[in-house]
Amino acid sequence: MKPKVKFASESLAKELSLRGADVSITLLPTTGDGKVGLDDFIVAELGQDNLPVNSFAALNRYKPDAITQILKLNQRVVLIEEPPSYLWVESGQLISKSELQLLLDNEFIKVSNTLGTKKVKAEKIWRESPLHAKAKKLTWIPGARFGLNNEGSYNSFEPLTVNPRKSNASLLRPYHRMLDRLFENRREERAWLENLVAHKYANLNIKVAKAIVLIGPQGAGKTLLGSFYKKLFAPHSVNIAGARLTDRFNELASRKLLVTVDELMQPERWQTADYIKKLIDQEDQTIERKHVNAYQVPDRTTYFISSNHPDPVYIKQGERRFFITHILQSVPLNSEAPLDPQLMKDFIGMRENPEAVAALGWYLLQRAKRTAETFDPHGRPLMTEAKEQVIRYSGSHLTDFCRKLLENPNAYWVERRFVDHDWVAGEPMRCDLATAEDVLRTFTKYVERTTPNLNVSQVSPIAVGRALGDAGARSFRQVGKDRLTLWAIRNGETWAKKRPPEMAEHYYAKPEEQENEDPYTMMARAVESPSRRRKRGGLDVIEGGKSARDKKPIQNDAKKSWSRKF
């Protein structure tokens, strides 16, 4: 029903009630083509030759007060067609039918029909009434009008609670004192941080694919500064623990302008790093919530991360998403920062003062105007000493080995012969190409000689492939009958010009007879898969598991023992 029709019917009903009439409102159900005209209803019910008296009597009749209750419910809940769900306006969450029934469990509406007047669950009446609020889909567009728009979508972006206004500059003194303390005269890094926040605040509907990372000792004020910025973007800001950032059900961090993250944990560093990069870059966000189908809304989130550790994120050289700065550098990370009680008291008081928060909003808007021509929020962030340190920490033994392998293959890509119960280095490998499994076996032997206490049993060929790629090795896919992925350990430029059959011929070349190879190694080679059989001169071939070293007979399930070893 159109809004003007709703208003006219309510006004007429109220006026008739004031004049003593017993008024009820009956809403005709829609027909198949969406029409609700009286003639369409009659034709649809009994045809053109009969008058559908019983059909009229069976319709629910609402008192004007019931209509008012339905319209009031429209301010609290909206039916969303895609995905099929209901928007609970107060929380901005999409909920299921069962959740709506629970929320409106104690609310009723009086209706009348041929059976008399009775109380019916408000949720049921609202859903069945054509007066209920309805939208085609839910969206989230910062700066646009809140609620239903002309396109039939419902914009769930509420205006910011802070109204920026010019005020006494003394209100911001604790803010500037706090930044002076944190950055210790590193003005360029401080300016970059403030410019990024200012640009975000001035352009809410523009995606800024950057994350701010503050590294510092415990008690320095990292989280406190983030909470102050979070006030500016309320109600579209939230603080979450780093471990929850990668949760499947992500509604907590969805539809936000600023997400502050405490201690970004990365138990699986590669996987977590890739996922976080996706969060920072994405223009649209897929939201998953229990009992509701996944749906997409625009993503305009900027992340503010704080950590007490020197390696809070896993990044590589050339990374363009993270601005990383080390605050309070004069204090070691493993110690607690000295407190300035008066500064902390003043800063917290300013954060809780709405007038001071509004003054900070005005200050940032003016800063965004001044730096609009000189600051590029979409460009590469400022390279800092802290970021260079994080890049170094992001390297691993495997990454370091792969770099050394490519830089000096003659020293690391060498034959290994089993002589006198021990492995010894021989001549450089004749094969230029290798699979990730081949490199993994070489890496395992390298660790056994150099860092015997390091556990590399969980290193996978996938991790080796990533490390080789980071080190700059060329890869060639779908090579040979086994469709292998080969990596060029030497002569990468030369092999890039070759065809896959030539690579396969080189890799699968029959190995020459090896001197000093004991019988246990030969038996283990006999169960080796064809994909690993190539000219490598005895590179890291298992000597019958532990049997060769211990001089024990090989078990019958030698193939099973081989797979366990590698």
Side-chain angles (χ1 to χ4, degrees):
M1 183 181 290
K2 296 181 179 180
K4 291 184 179 180
V5 177
K6 293 180 186 178
F7 177 76
S9 61
E10 289 180 56
S11 300
L12 177 61
K14 289 179 181 178
E15 185 63 28
L16 291 174
S17 298
L18 292 174
R19 299 191 182 197
D22 183 13
V23 181
S24 295
I25 299 176
T26 297
L27 302 173
L28 297 179
T30 59
T31 58
D33 57 2
K35 295 182 179 179
V36 292
L38 180 60
D39 54 343
D40 297 300
F41 175 75
I42 294 174
V43 172
E45 286 292 315
L46 295 178
Q48 301 182 12
D49 299 329
N50 300 301
L51 185 65
V53 177
N54 294 333
S55 297
F56 279 118
L59 294 174
N60 288 331
R61 299 190 297 276
Y62 305 99
K63 295 295 183 182
D65 290 341
I67 300 294
T68 302
Q69 284 182 267
I70 293 174
L71 296 178
K72 285 184 178 180
L73 278 177
N74 286 343
Q75 300 175 9
R76 300 164 59 193
V77 61
V78 179
L79 171 65
I80 305 296
E81 295 180 348
E82 184 58 40
S85 54
Y86 302 90
L87 172 67
W88 192 253
V89 177
E90 182 180 358
S91 64
Q93 292 182 335
L94 289 187
I95 59 177
S96 62
K97 178 181 175 181
S98 59
E99 290 173 315
L100 179 64
Q101 291 172 341
L102 289 174
L103 289 170
L104 301 178
D105 187 52
N106 296 321
E107 299 185 31
F108 299 88
I109 294 177
K110 289 183 178 181
V111 297
S112 302
N113 54 27
T114 54
L115 300 177
T117 302
K118 62 179 180 179
K119 285 185 177 181
V120 182
K121 291 278 188 180
E123 171 269 332
K124 183 176 185 298
I125 296 300
W126 180 86
R127 284 192 299 104
E128 296 177 352
S129 170
L131 295 176
H132 64 231
K134 181 171 63 175
K136 294 180 180 178
K137 65 177 183 178
L138 179 69
T139 188
W140 188 78
I141 306 175
R145 186 174 67 88
F146 175 74
L148 285 167
N149 56 33
N150 296 331
E151 298 176 355
S153 300
Y154 192 96
N155 182 26
S156 58
F157 181 86
E158 300 179 45
L160 299 183
T161 56
V162 174
N163 184 22
R165 58 182 177 273
K166 188 176 182 180
S167 188
N168 193 330
S170 61
L171 290 174
L172 294 180
R173 284 177 185 168
Y175 168 75
H176 293 298
R177 286 170 54 205
M178 176 64 79
L179 290 185
D180 289 341
R181 175 176 179 266
L182 295 181
F183 285 93
E184 300 176 315
N185 296 322
R186 298 195 313 280
R187 296 184 178 181
E188 190 176 11
E189 295 181 24
R190 170 180 172 171
W192 213 97
L193 170 68
E194 286 195 280
N195 289 340
L196 185 63
V197 176
H199 179 88
K200 178 62 183 177
Y201 190 64
N203 303 275
L204 299 180
N205 198 31
I206 295 179
K207 174 70 174 184
V208 179
K210 296 289 181 291
I212 299 169
V213 181
L214 297 189
I215 301 173
Q218 185 176 355
K222 308 178 296 296
T223 305
L224 200 59
L225 179 62
S227 67
F228 194 16
Y229 286 142
K230 187 164 68 74
K231 283 266 187 179
L232 285 173
F233 295 95
H236 306 286
S237 57
V238 69
N239 175 261
I240 64 175
R244 296 198 60 185
L245 195 60
T246 56
D247 283 356
R248 175 188 171 188
F249 298 108
N250 58 351
E251 191 174 35
L252 178 63
S254 66
R255 290 178 289 169
K256 296 294 185 289
L257 292 170
L258 183 70
V259 173
T260 59
V261 183
D262 293 334
E263 219 47 81
L264 183 59
M265 304 302 293
Q266 298 188 32
E268 298 292 340
R269 292 170 64 85
W270 269 109
Q271 293 87 334
T272 308
D274 291 343
Y275 185 81
I276 292 172
K277 291 173 185 177
K278 173 180 172 292
L279 290 181
I280 296 172
D281 282 340
Q282 65 188 8
E283 292 282 347
D284 296 292
Q285 183 178 29
T286 300
I287 300 176
E288 293 193 50
R289 187 177 187 272
K290 290 183 178 180
H291 313 302
V292 176
N293 293 341
Y295 61 99
Q296 281 194 334
V297 294
D299 188 331
R300 301 294 180 265
T301 306
T302 298
Y303 295 89
F304 187 100
I305 303 167
S306 58
S307 176
N308 301 329
H309 301 287
D311 56 346
V313 292
Y314 192 96
I315 59 175
K316 298 179 290 187
Q317 192 69 40
E319 175 55 54
R320 57 176 177 76
R321 300 172 184 86
F322 293 94
F323 167 69
I324 304 176
T325 181
H326 187 169
I327 62 174
L328 216 61
Q329 286 186 345
S330 59
V331 180
L333 286 178
N334 57 0
S335 61
E336 188 172 350
L339 293 176
D340 184 340
Q342 187 59 45
L343 175 59
M344 291 297 178
K345 180 180 177 180
D346 293 345
F347 190 83
I348 293 174
M350 180 189 65
R351 184 189 63 179
E352 302 304 323
N353 182 0
E355 188 177 354
V357 178
L360 178 62
W362 176 268
Y363 165 77
L364 291 176
L365 288 178
Q366 301 307 309
R367 187 180 186 94
K369 290 180 182 178
R370 293 196 307 270
T371 60
E373 299 296 330
T374 57
F375 177 72
D376 180 13
H378 307 290
R380 195 174 296 278
L382 179 69
M383 176 56 73
T384 63
E385 182 180 343
K387 186 171 183 178
E388 291 177 347
Q389 184 179 18
V390 170
I391 292 173
R392 289 194 299 270
Y393 277 123
S394 296
S396 62
H397 283 79
L398 177 59
T399 306
D400 183 59
F401 171 77
C402 289
R403 289 197 182 101
K404 293 178 179 178
L405 178 66
L406 297 180
E407 291 171 0
N408 191 4
N410 290 338
Y412 294 90
W413 192 236
V414 296
E415 299 174 352
R416 300 290 172 189
R417 298 179 183 276
F418 191 71
V419 180
D420 294 331
H421 310 292
D422 199 6
W423 287 97
V424 296
E427 296 296 324
M429 285 291 297
R430 291 178 289 277
C431 186
D432 294 341
L433 304 178
T435 63
E437 289 85 352
D438 298 329
V439 177
L440 177 56
R441 288 194 292 274
T442 306
F443 172 65
T444 303
K445 290 297 179 181
Y446 169 77
V447 170
E448 289 178 1
R449 296 192 311 273
T450 59
T451 320
N453 295 328
L454 181 64
N455 181 14
V456 295
S457 60
Q458 300 299 319
V459 177
S460 67
I462 295 177
V464 174
R466 286 174 171 166
L468 287 169
D470 291 342
R474 287 181 174 271
S475 63
F476 310 101
R477 302 181 184 277
Q478 304 291 319
V479 176
K481 58 184 178 181
D482 296 313
R483 298 182 177 276
L484 300 175
T485 297
L486 298 181
W487 296 86
I489 306 302
R490 279 190 303 250
N491 306 319
E493 295 293 337
T494 302
W495 285 108
K497 302 174 184 178
K498 301 287 186 178
R499 298 174 63 251
E502 296 177 276
M503 299 179 190
E505 181 181 1
H506 178 74
Y507 182 78
Y508 287 113
K510 182 178 180 181
E512 299 177 0
E513 292 293 326
Q514 299 182 16
E515 299 178 0
N516 301 322
E517 186 173 66
D518 70 319
Y520 299 100
T521 306
M522 296 175 65
M523 293 177 66
R525 187 187 299 281
V527 299
E528 186 181 6
S529 64
S531 64
R532 295 171 176 169
R533 196 174 295 139
R534 65 177 178 81
K535 186 199 297 184
R536 59 172 167 237
L539 170 70
D540 295 350
V541 177
I542 181 174
E543 60 277 17
K546 294 183 179 179
S547 301
R549 187 176 296 276
D550 298 336
K551 293 301 178 183
K552 294 179 181 179
I554 289 184
Q555 303 297 324
N556 292 332
D557 55 345
K559 189 170 184 178
K560 185 176 181 182
S561 174
W562 173 274
S563 62
R564 259 199 318 270
K565 179 70 174 177
F566 293 114

